[in-house]
Amino acid sequence: MKKMNYLLILLISLFSCNVNESPKQFSEAALSDTFTTLQGETIDLKSILETHKGKTILIDIWASWCSDCLVGLPKVKTLQSQYQDVVYIFLSLDRGEAAWKKGIARYQVNGEHYYMASGKKCPFADFVKIDWIPRYMVINKAGNIELFKAVKADDHKLVKALKK
């Protein structure tokens, strides 16, 4: 019986390793997904990322109606003061462009801003498997996804990814 238990534990360990593996590159569909700029223009994720090639990027997926996002904003501002060489990209899931722009101004959110017009039903959202916001990701200087998922701006994994 003990041998069966050990075998079962071994099999579960082997299969669970792949389940938790995070992607290191965006899918082509996610890279081709489009966002709206503050000026009302459309831009794809690939172009946004290429603009900052060679830099560390923190992506913050948020909305001005999200209380957890608002609680996280002071922590993001702390990160911005500590890691000034990092590019901060905010992707909004607000319910409309007016609310998005009002939220940026009201909460004094500094960084690059893009609106996810398709919301949670788009290739980017599918790729990152948005199940909660705020959602933080870190892209390293090589353009790889260093941190796929954090839901708190003071998560030790997020800070560690920014230090690399």
Side-chain angles (χ1 to χ4, degrees):
M1 189 66 168
K2 280 187 177 182
K3 287 182 184 179
M4 287 289 278
N5 287 340
Y6 289 125
L7 182 59
L8 184 60
I9 290 170
L10 178 65
L11 287 172
I12 290 171
S13 298
L14 288 173
F15 287 110
S16 65
C17 289
N18 293 333
V19 172
N20 294 326
E21 198 170 300
S22 298
K24 298 297 178 194
Q25 296 288 323
F26 285 102
S27 68
E28 283 302 317
L31 288 170
S32 298
D33 202 358
T34 57
F35 302 85
T36 304
T37 67
L38 285 170
Q39 296 75 30
E41 298 169 354
T42 301
I43 187 169
D44 62 20
L45 180 63
K46 184 175 184 176
S47 298
I48 295 168
L49 296 176
E50 282 180 353
T51 301
H52 304 293
K53 193 173 188 174
K55 297 180 182 176
T56 301
I57 302 168
L58 183 141
I59 297 175
D60 181 344
I61 305 167
W62 76 297
S64 63
W65 51 259
C66 167
S67 60
D68 287 341
C69 299
L70 300 180
V71 167
L73 281 177
K75 296 172 187 174
V76 172
K77 290 178 182 187
T78 298
L79 291 174
Q80 288 175 317
S81 67
Q82 292 174 339
Y83 303 97
Q84 295 178 11
D85 57 333
V86 172
V87 175
Y88 295 85
I89 296 176
F90 295 87
L91 304 178
S92 174
L93 282 170
D94 268 292
R95 296 185 177 112
E97 288 187 42
W100 164 53
K101 290 177 181 180
K102 184 178 177 182
I104 293 168
R106 180 177 182 187
Y107 300 110
Q108 301 174 356
V109 184
N110 296 315
E112 286 191 26
H113 297 278
Y114 301 94
Y115 179 63
M116 296 175 63
S118 301
K120 290 185 184 179
K121 298 183 189 303
C122 65
F124 174 78
D126 289 344
F127 175 80
V128 299
K129 300 177 179 94
I130 296 176
D131 58 356
W132 190 264
I133 58 173
R135 168 71 179 277
Y136 306 98
M137 301 177 73
V138 176
I139 313 306
N140 65 25
K141 292 177 182 179
N144 297 318
I145 300 169
E146 186 70 34
L147 176 67
F148 185 69
K149 182 177 184 178
V151 294
K152 293 188 178 193
D154 57 359
D155 185 312
H156 74 281
K157 292 180 287 185
L158 188 144
V159 173
K160 182 179 175 185
L162 291 177
K163 288 181 179 180
K164 285 190 176 183

